[in-house]
Amino acid sequence: MTDYTLKDLGWSPFFAAQTDPETLDFAARISTVARDRVTVLSPHGTLILRTPETTGDYAVGDWVLTTPDRGAVAVRLERQTSLKRRAAGHDVSAQLIAANVETFGIVTSCNEDFNIARLERYLALAASAGCMPLIILTKSDLCDDPGSYAKQAERLSPLVTAVTLNATDPDELDTLAPWCRNGQTLVLAGSSGVGKSTLSNLLTGGEAATQGIREDDAKGRHTTTSRDLARTRFGGWLIDTPGMRSLPLADVADGIEAVFEDIETLATGCKFNDCAHETEPGCAIQAAVEAGDLDPKRLKRWQKLKREDAQNSEALHEARARHRSLHKTYRGAQSAKRDRDGR
């Protein structure tokens, strides 16, 4: 069993400001989340804790304070960064991906998996969460010009850093050291089969299963099935995530604005404040398209993400309002029953 100091685990003044000397000794960081409990790392070792709420309210990377007996979570500290998406399928809820990570590693590959529209989704999520985006382009050994992919990726946003590497070559893993050393946390996300598990194994010394590339579509096979917080060989932390078939966005309007800052700036020059940027007179965005200064495909991607985020955000807010109303009704019924029973 390895014990870590709070600094080893990524503790910072942001979290220290939420504690005092009496509670500091009970600080711990969540490494895994199960159905009815969470596992945490702390200076007192690895602990398994009960939670006062559903474990769906916790994410890998969260900081918590334990009860004095170190058997349960007493409180979850405010998150510095929080990555979440709308849950896949018909469930109208937000799904936590990871918390308190400095860098969002968006993993794709130098082949058919490289997709500009999907990368923009991930970048919007990173910007909204407050994480620095790092686009990791794997399978560079199978590509004649990996640098061209990196240039395309970095053109998407001035905040983006893109790196190319062969995930199966341990000597190239030093490329990722700046983002996962000295207590820093890097989360890896992307489609199935792009090499996340291979990267995770080499960065942490883990033994997660990996599988080869399918010849029919140049993709590897999905292997990661859960999230956990693992120590990297550089002294930081890594959170690997299962491959995502889709990334529905909600409540990330600020992230979309950051990724499409060029279009957002153009929109301020439109003649009408409610311009739909379609056929209205005096539309600065359509003028830029006609002048060849704005790719019409990029405009369509921006419009699509804006519509999706607005629809999903409204659905989430309505679902939360219904939940609050039902909870209030339930508490009222409980109170009325106690009054009738004379308690």
Side-chain angles (χ1 to χ4, degrees):
M1 179 177 66
T2 303
D3 295 342
Y4 301 104
T5 66
L6 291 180
K7 184 177 180 180
D8 290 336
L9 291 167
W11 189 256
S12 71
F14 177 86
F15 305 109
Q18 302 177 54
T19 62
D20 54 48
E22 289 73 26
T23 59
L24 184 61
D25 191 46
F26 300 103
R29 195 173 188 196
I30 293 179
S31 60
T32 61
V33 177
R35 286 182 179 274
D36 58 353
R37 65 193 184 280
V38 295
T39 302
V40 300
L41 304 177
S42 77
H44 300 280
T46 302
L47 308 171
I48 297 177
L49 308 178
R50 303 181 307 276
T51 60
E53 311 95 352
T54 170
T55 55
D57 294 329
Y58 297 85
V60 173
D62 267 332
W63 280 96
V64 300
L65 299 179
T66 72
T67 53
D69 64 356
R70 297 191 174 88
V73 172
V75 64
R76 176 182 59 78
L77 300 186
E78 180 184 347
R79 297 174 178 126
Q80 190 162 22
T81 62
S82 178
L83 285 163
K84 56 187 176 181
R85 63 172 182 172
R86 175 175 171 172
H90 300 292
D91 186 19
V92 184
S93 63
Q95 179 187 38
L96 289 165
I97 299 173
N100 301 316
V101 301
E102 285 83 11
T103 305
F104 188 24
I106 305 163
V107 187
T108 184
S109 50
C110 299
N111 57 24
E112 289 84 351
D113 182 77
F114 187 86
N115 184 292
I116 292 295
R118 185 168 64 238
L119 288 175
E120 288 171 339
R121 283 179 175 271
Y122 280 104
L123 291 175
L125 180 62
S128 182
C131 305
M132 290 302 297
L134 172 68
I135 296 180
I136 303 169
L137 295 153
T138 61
K139 301 181 173 60
S140 63
D141 56 313
L142 305 178
C143 174
D144 293 333
D145 186 14
S148 65
Y149 287 95
K151 290 177 182 177
Q152 290 182 68
E154 291 189 334
R155 282 198 294 266
L156 296 178
S157 168
L159 297 177
V160 169
T161 297
V163 297
T164 61
L165 51 78
N166 172 8
T168 63
D169 185 351
D171 293 335
E172 293 194 25
L173 266 294
D174 288 348
T175 304
L176 300 180
W179 296 280
C180 56
R181 63 186 177 195
N182 302 328
Q184 293 178 313
T185 304
L186 166 68
V187 62
L188 299 181
S191 303
S192 298
V194 293
K196 292 190 282 66
S197 295
T198 302
L199 284 174
S200 177
N201 289 344
L202 292 175
L203 284 170
T204 66
E207 298 178 354
T210 57
Q211 300 184 42
I213 297 176
R214 298 192 300 250
E215 293 182 0
D216 58 342
D217 60 5
K219 292 183 179 180
R221 300 181 186 274
H222 171 64
T223 51
T224 301
T225 57
S226 62
R227 302 177 180 90
D228 61 4
L229 183 72
R231 183 79 157 175
T232 74
R233 68 183 194 180
F234 303 111
W237 298 92
L238 180 73
I239 301 174
D240 193 7
T241 64
M244 297 183 186
R245 292 177 181 272
S246 63
L247 185 67
L249 298 180
D251 286 341
V252 295
D254 54 342
I256 295 173
E257 290 177 3
V259 174
F260 293 89
E261 184 180 5
D262 55 333
I263 300 181
E264 297 282 349
T265 299
L266 284 171
T268 62
C270 290
K271 182 176 180 179
F272 302 106
N273 292 334
D274 59 349
C275 183
H277 317 301
E278 297 289 351
T279 59
E280 293 84 355
C283 176
I285 289 178
Q286 287 299 332
V289 171
E290 293 172 7
D293 297 328
L294 175 63
D295 184 349
K297 293 181 180 179
R298 179 169 169 81
L299 171 59
K300 289 182 179 180
R301 295 195 301 268
W302 172 70
Q303 292 171 324
K304 179 180 179 180
L305 288 183
K306 294 274 280 188
R307 288 194 301 269
E308 177 185 323
D309 180 68
Q311 292 169 359
N312 287 343
S313 298
E314 182 179 5
L316 281 177
H317 296 163
E318 289 175 351
R320 289 167 184 160
R322 286 196 301 271
H323 177 76
R324 287 194 296 269
S325 178
L326 287 172
H327 187 58
K328 183 177 180 180
T329 300
Y330 176 71
R331 285 185 301 174
Q334 282 187 317
S335 177
K337 185 177 185 300
R338 285 194 297 268
D339 291 342
R340 289 196 302 270
D341 294 345
R343 285 182 284 171

